[in-house]
Amino acid sequence: MFEDIVRGFQELIRDTKLAVVSVLALVLGFVVEVLYLFAGKYDFLDLDFFAIKLFEETILAVLIGSILLQRKKERFLSLLVFSAFYGMTMGIGFSFFVLPAFVAFMFLFFVPLLSARIDSASTVLIESYRLVFKRQKTVEVFLAAAIVFVVWFIPIAGSIVSNFLRTVFVYALFHSLEGMMDETAQSDTGSAQSDSW
Protein backbone atom coordinates (compact mmCIF):
# COMPACT_ATOMS: atom_id res chain seq x y z
CA MET A 1 0.00 0.00 0.00
CA PHE A 2 2.69 2.47 0.98
CA GLU A 3 4.42 2.08 -2.39
CA ASP A 4 1.14 2.96 -4.14
CA ILE A 5 0.64 6.01 -1.89
CA VAL A 6 4.24 7.19 -2.42
CA ARG A 7 3.73 6.74 -6.17
CA GLY A 8 0.53 8.80 -5.86
CA PHE A 9 2.40 11.67 -4.19
CA GLN A 10 5.15 11.46 -6.84
CA GLU A 11 2.48 11.60 -9.54
CA LEU A 12 1.04 14.66 -7.78
CA ILE A 13 4.30 16.48 -8.54
CA ARG A 14 4.43 15.33 -12.19
CA ASP A 15 0.75 15.46 -13.19
CA THR A 16 -0.53 19.03 -13.43
CA LYS A 17 -4.19 17.98 -13.58
CA LEU A 18 -3.88 15.89 -10.41
CA ALA A 19 -2.06 18.76 -8.67
CA VAL A 20 -4.79 21.25 -9.62
CA VAL A 21 -7.56 18.89 -8.48
CA SER A 22 -5.71 18.30 -5.19
CA VAL A 23 -5.43 22.05 -4.57
CA LEU A 24 -9.13 22.44 -5.38
CA ALA A 25 -9.87 19.62 -2.89
CA LEU A 26 -7.91 21.56 -0.25
CA VAL A 27 -9.91 24.73 -1.02
CA LEU A 28 -13.17 22.75 -0.87
CA GLY A 29 -12.11 21.37 2.50
CA PHE A 30 -11.44 24.88 3.79
CA VAL A 31 -14.86 26.11 2.61
CA VAL A 32 -16.54 23.11 4.23
CA GLU A 33 -14.70 23.64 7.53
CA VAL A 34 -15.93 27.26 7.59
CA LEU A 35 -19.48 26.04 6.91
CA TYR A 36 -19.20 23.46 9.72
CA LEU A 37 -18.07 26.17 12.13
CA PHE A 38 -21.11 28.28 11.30
CA ALA A 39 -23.53 25.33 11.39
CA GLY A 40 -22.27 23.67 14.59
CA LYS A 41 -19.50 21.22 13.83
CA TYR A 42 -20.22 17.53 13.26
CA ASP A 43 -23.79 17.40 14.54
CA PHE A 44 -24.66 14.23 12.64
CA LEU A 45 -28.43 14.46 13.13
CA ASP A 46 -28.68 18.07 11.97
CA LEU A 47 -30.08 18.95 8.54
CA ASP A 48 -27.33 21.56 8.07
CA PHE A 49 -24.70 18.85 8.55
CA PHE A 50 -26.41 16.70 5.90
CA ALA A 51 -26.56 19.60 3.43
CA ILE A 52 -22.88 20.49 3.96
CA LYS A 53 -21.80 16.84 3.65
CA LEU A 54 -23.90 16.40 0.51
CA PHE A 55 -22.29 19.51 -1.01
CA GLU A 56 -18.77 18.42 -0.02
CA GLU A 57 -19.05 14.83 -1.23
CA THR A 58 -20.71 15.75 -4.53
CA ILE A 59 -18.17 18.44 -5.42
CA LEU A 60 -15.26 16.22 -4.31
CA ALA A 61 -16.55 13.35 -6.48
CA VAL A 62 -16.74 15.70 -9.48
CA LEU A 63 -13.19 16.89 -8.79
CA ILE A 64 -11.77 13.37 -8.44
CA GLY A 65 -13.61 12.13 -11.52
CA SER A 66 -12.40 15.09 -13.56
CA ILE A 67 -8.83 13.78 -13.23
CA LEU A 68 -9.63 11.07 -15.78
CA LEU A 69 -12.25 13.02 -17.70
CA GLN A 70 -11.39 13.71 -21.29
CA ARG A 71 -13.15 16.43 -23.25
CA LYS A 72 -16.35 14.42 -23.80
CA LYS A 73 -19.56 16.03 -22.64
CA GLU A 74 -21.36 12.66 -22.37
CA ARG A 75 -18.89 11.48 -19.75
CA PHE A 76 -19.22 14.75 -17.85
CA LEU A 77 -22.98 14.22 -17.57
CA SER A 78 -22.37 10.68 -16.30
CA LEU A 79 -19.84 12.05 -13.80
CA LEU A 80 -22.32 14.67 -12.54
CA VAL A 81 -25.09 12.09 -12.07
CA PHE A 82 -22.82 9.66 -10.26
CA SER A 83 -21.34 12.45 -8.15
CA ALA A 84 -24.82 13.46 -7.01
CA PHE A 85 -25.56 9.80 -6.18
CA TYR A 86 -22.21 9.50 -4.38
CA GLY A 87 -22.82 12.70 -2.40
CA MET A 88 -26.36 11.63 -1.44
CA THR A 89 -25.19 8.18 -0.33
CA MET A 90 -22.35 9.59 1.74
CA GLY A 91 -24.58 12.30 3.24
CA ILE A 92 -27.20 9.75 4.25
CA GLY A 93 -24.48 7.43 5.56
CA PHE A 94 -23.08 10.20 7.75
CA SER A 95 -26.58 11.10 8.94
CA PHE A 96 -26.78 7.56 10.32
CA PHE A 97 -23.34 8.11 11.90
CA VAL A 98 -19.88 6.83 11.08
CA LEU A 99 -20.19 3.08 10.38
CA PRO A 100 -22.81 3.34 7.59
CA ALA A 101 -20.79 6.17 6.03
CA PHE A 102 -17.61 4.07 6.19
CA VAL A 103 -19.35 1.09 4.53
CA ALA A 104 -20.73 3.35 1.79
CA PHE A 105 -17.31 4.94 1.34
CA MET A 106 -15.63 1.54 0.96
CA PHE A 107 -18.23 0.32 -1.54
CA LEU A 108 -18.13 3.54 -3.60
CA PHE A 109 -14.38 4.18 -3.24
CA PHE A 110 -13.63 4.19 -6.99
CA VAL A 111 -17.00 5.43 -8.30
CA PRO A 112 -15.81 9.00 -9.07
CA LEU A 113 -13.04 7.70 -11.33
CA LEU A 114 -15.09 4.88 -12.86
CA SER A 115 -17.98 7.21 -13.70
CA ALA A 116 -15.59 9.30 -15.79
CA ARG A 117 -14.94 6.21 -17.94
CA ILE A 118 -18.18 4.18 -17.88
CA ASP A 119 -21.74 5.38 -18.58
CA SER A 120 -23.73 2.40 -17.31
CA ALA A 121 -24.82 2.72 -13.66
CA SER A 122 -24.83 -1.01 -13.01
CA THR A 123 -21.38 -1.45 -14.57
CA VAL A 124 -19.90 1.37 -12.48
CA LEU A 125 -21.28 -0.09 -9.24
CA ILE A 126 -20.29 -3.68 -10.10
CA GLU A 127 -16.80 -2.61 -11.16
CA SER A 128 -16.37 -0.52 -8.00
CA TYR A 129 -17.37 -3.54 -5.90
CA ARG A 130 -14.96 -5.77 -7.84
CA LEU A 131 -12.06 -3.35 -7.49
CA VAL A 132 -12.57 -2.96 -3.75
CA PHE A 133 -13.55 -6.47 -2.67
CA LYS A 134 -12.46 -8.91 -5.40
CA ARG A 135 -8.93 -7.72 -6.11
CA GLN A 136 -5.85 -8.10 -3.92
CA LYS A 137 -6.03 -4.49 -2.69
CA THR A 138 -8.97 -4.80 -0.27
CA VAL A 139 -6.73 -4.27 2.76
CA GLU A 140 -5.09 -1.24 1.14
CA VAL A 141 -8.47 0.31 0.29
CA PHE A 142 -9.68 -0.38 3.84
CA LEU A 143 -6.58 1.28 5.34
CA ALA A 144 -6.82 4.27 2.99
CA ALA A 145 -10.52 4.70 3.83
CA ALA A 146 -9.76 4.37 7.56
CA ILE A 147 -7.01 7.01 7.37
CA VAL A 148 -9.31 9.42 5.51
CA PHE A 149 -12.05 8.88 8.11
CA VAL A 150 -9.78 9.32 11.12
CA VAL A 151 -8.26 12.48 9.66
CA TRP A 152 -11.74 13.86 8.87
CA PHE A 153 -12.51 14.02 12.62
CA ILE A 154 -9.54 16.29 13.39
CA PRO A 155 -10.97 19.63 14.55
CA ILE A 156 -10.73 22.59 12.18
CA ALA A 157 -8.39 20.96 9.60
CA GLY A 158 -10.10 17.57 9.17
CA SER A 159 -12.01 18.20 5.95
CA ILE A 160 -9.09 20.04 4.39
CA VAL A 161 -6.55 17.28 4.92
CA SER A 162 -8.96 14.36 4.36
CA ASN A 163 -10.14 15.75 0.99
CA PHE A 164 -6.52 16.09 -0.14
CA LEU A 165 -5.61 12.59 1.09
CA ARG A 166 -8.70 11.07 -0.49
CA THR A 167 -7.84 12.56 -3.88
CA VAL A 168 -4.31 11.14 -3.78
CA PHE A 169 -5.29 7.75 -2.27
CA VAL A 170 -8.15 7.07 -4.70
CA TYR A 171 -6.02 8.07 -7.67
CA ALA A 172 -2.98 6.04 -6.56
CA LEU A 173 -4.91 2.87 -5.70
CA PHE A 174 -6.99 3.09 -8.88
CA HIS A 175 -3.88 3.27 -11.04
CA SER A 176 -2.31 0.43 -9.11
CA LEU A 177 -5.38 -1.75 -9.71
CA GLU A 178 -5.59 -0.61 -13.31
CA GLY A 179 -2.01 -1.81 -13.80
CA MET A 180 -2.92 -5.18 -12.27
CA MET A 181 -5.93 -5.46 -14.61
CA ASP A 182 -3.74 -4.67 -17.63
CA GLU A 183 -1.22 -7.34 -16.58
CA THR A 184 -4.04 -9.88 -16.11
CA ALA A 185 -5.52 -9.03 -19.51
CA GLN A 186 -2.10 -9.38 -21.19
CA SER A 187 -1.42 -12.73 -19.49
CA ASP A 188 -4.91 -13.96 -20.48
CA THR A 189 -4.27 -12.92 -24.07
CA GLY A 190 -0.86 -14.60 -24.04
CA SER A 191 -2.27 -17.85 -22.64
CA ALA A 192 -5.13 -17.80 -25.14
CA GLN A 193 -2.64 -17.41 -28.01
CA SER A 194 -0.48 -20.26 -26.69
CA ASP A 195 -3.58 -22.46 -26.36
CA SER A 196 -4.47 -21.80 -30.01
CA TRP A 197 -1.05 -23.15 -31.12
Side-chain angles (χ1 to χ4, degrees), residues 44 82 93 166 174:
F44 287 93
F82 275 103
R166 189 183 328 181
F174 183 77

Side-chain angles (χ1 to χ4, degrees), residues 29-43:
F30 177 76
V31 169
V32 166
E33 284 295 330
V34 169
L35 291 173
Y36 281 137
L37 289 174
F38 283 117
K41 188 148 177 89
Y42 304 136
D43 184 2

Side-chain angles (χ1 to χ4, degrees), residues 7-189:
R7 237 178 281 128
F9 280 105
Q10 289 171 341
E11 194 66 31
L12 183 67
I13 296 166
R14 286 188 294 244
D15 188 344
T16 307
K17 195 170 188 181
L18 177 61
V20 167
V21 168
S22 298
V23 169
L24 290 173
L26 285 169
V27 171
L28 174 66
F30 177 76
V31 169
V32 166
E33 284 295 330
V34 169
L35 291 173
Y36 281 137
L37 289 174
F38 283 117
K41 188 148 177 89
Y42 304 136
D43 184 2
F44 287 93
L45 300 176
D46 190 40
L47 188 59
D48 289 340
F49 176 85
F50 172 77
I52 294 168
K53 199 66 187 154
L54 173 64
F55 165 76
E56 177 186 19
E57 295 297 335
T58 303
I59 299 300
L60 189 60
V62 169
L63 289 174
I64 292 172
S66 69
I67 295 170
L68 296 184
L69 198 64
Q70 302 301 319
R71 296 183 185 271
K72 293 183 180 175
K73 292 179 180 166
E74 305 86 39
R75 296 279 190 233
F76 187 70
L77 180 61
S78 172
L79 175 61
L80 285 177
V81 169
F82 275 103
S83 296
F85 167 74
Y86 181 88
M88 184 66 73
T89 305
M90 292 299 291
I92 291 170
F94 268 102
S95 295
F96 290 121
F97 208 57
V98 178
L99 189 57
F102 187 76
V103 171
F105 183 51
M106 282 283 297
F107 182 77
L108 301 174
F109 197 78
F110 295 112
V111 163
L113 291 175
L114 290 170
S115 63
R117 291 208 168 154
I118 304 169
D119 284 331
S120 167
S122 60
T123 306
V124 168
L125 294 175
I126 290 168
E127 192 60 31
S128 180
Y129 174 80
R130 271 196 207 128
L131 286 175
V132 173
F133 297 108
K134 299 285 185 182
R135 301 279 175 191
Q136 296 132 355
K137 298 277 184 182
T138 303
V139 173
E140 286 88 341
V141 171
F142 176 82
L143 289 173
I147 290 168
V148 167
F149 261 68
V150 168
V151 168
W152 185 78
F153 283 100
I154 296 172
I156 300 177
S159 290
I160 300 168
V161 177
S162 72
N163 285 353
F164 175 75
L165 289 176
R166 189 183 328 181
T167 304
V168 174
F169 288 175
V170 169
Y171 180 81
L173 290 171
F174 183 77
H175 274 289
S176 171
L177 285 167
E178 204 172 39
M180 288 172 55
M181 289 187 297
D182 290 344
E183 288 172 12
T184 305
Q186 288 174 354
S187 67
D188 290 344
T189 304

